[in-house]
């Protein structure tokens, strides 16, 4: 097998790939790209400009995410990384990719506004019910507005009786 020669220059496509390997510290099953917080990537010579929209304003993870983004891109060959924060439009859970929502569910976190479909359709948005990520029951009860982090609420399934976290929709 002959490996393709990897160009030393980091282009925008490669930068996106690198960012897709940077996991969110609060939801370590999703990358910052899957969460939808990377809004723009531009490469200008050796400098990579990344525009981030934090999930929740004041989320303590924001600085850690910025540091992780800079570190990953520098390790991938960027001579310089500039991170810009864009607050408007505000991040919404709608920016979480459907495939990422399914990853959240498998991890045991009920994704925002999504219920498991029973008819072979992909996950779909649902305005009110929070489905159990384990058994897909809609009979769930909120135990606490806050889970391990402020982004999540604690729920319990009334059918399988398992507690689970729900990534709050905003
Ligand atoms: Zn359940």
């Amino acid at each position: 097998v002959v490996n393709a020669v990897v160009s030393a220059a980091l282009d925008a496509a490669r930068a996106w790939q690198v960012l897709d390997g940077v996991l969110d510290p609060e939801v370590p099953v999703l990358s910052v790209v899957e969460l939808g917080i990377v809004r723009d990537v531009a490469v200008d010579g050796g400098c990579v400009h990344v525009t981030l929209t934090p999930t929740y304003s004041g989320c303590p993870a924001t600085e850690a995410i910025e540091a992780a983004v800079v570190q990953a891109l520098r390790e991938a060959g960027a001579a310089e990384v500039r991170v810009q924060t864009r607050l408007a439009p505000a991040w919404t859970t709608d920016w979480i990719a459907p495939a990422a929502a399914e990853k959240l569910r498998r991890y045991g976190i009920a994704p925002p506004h999504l219920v498991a479909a029973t008819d072979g359709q992909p996950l779909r948005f649902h305005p009110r019910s929070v489905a159990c990520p384990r058994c897909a029951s809609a009979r769930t009860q909120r135990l606490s507005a806050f889970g391990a982090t402020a982004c999540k609420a604690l729920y319990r399934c009334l059918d399988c009786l398992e507690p689970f976290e729900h990534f709050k929709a905003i």
Side-chain angles (χ1 to χ4, degrees), residues 132 135 157 160:
C132 171
C135 73
C157 176
C160 72

Side-chain angles (χ1 to χ4, degrees), residues 29-158:
V29 71
L30 293 187
S31 78
V32 293
V33 172
E34 289 173 310
L35 260 181
I37 63 176
V38 178
R39 303 315 299 165
D40 192 42
V41 175
V43 177
D44 160 23
C47 181
V48 182
H49 299 262
V50 180
T51 305
L52 298 178
T53 296
T55 51
Y56 295 79
S57 57
C59 192
T62 305
E63 280 182 27
I65 290 171
E66 276 191 32
V69 161
V70 170
Q71 190 190 347
L73 289 170
R74 297 214 46 153
E75 282 172 4
E80 192 184 345
V81 180
R82 291 199 188 149
V83 178
Q84 186 190 359
T85 301
R86 184 192 290 162
L87 295 176
W91 180 85
T92 153
T93 38
D94 292 353
W95 292 355
I96 297 178
E102 173 60 15
K103 271 196 200 174
L104 271 181
R105 188 191 65 75
R106 286 208 208 110
Y107 186 63
I109 297 175
H113 284 347
L114 288 169
V115 288
T118 53
D119 50 5
Q121 297 294 309
L123 290 167
R124 61 182 186 272
F125 287 91
H126 191 283
R128 284 188 188 81
S129 84
V130 173
C132 171
R134 291 182 181 82
C135 73
S137 168
R139 294 180 58 238
T140 58
Q141 177 186 38
R142 194 175 79 169
L143 299 178
S144 165
F146 297 99
T149 65
C151 321
K152 287 170 255 161
L154 193 61
Y155 275 71
R156 182 177 66 155
C157 176
L158 299 177

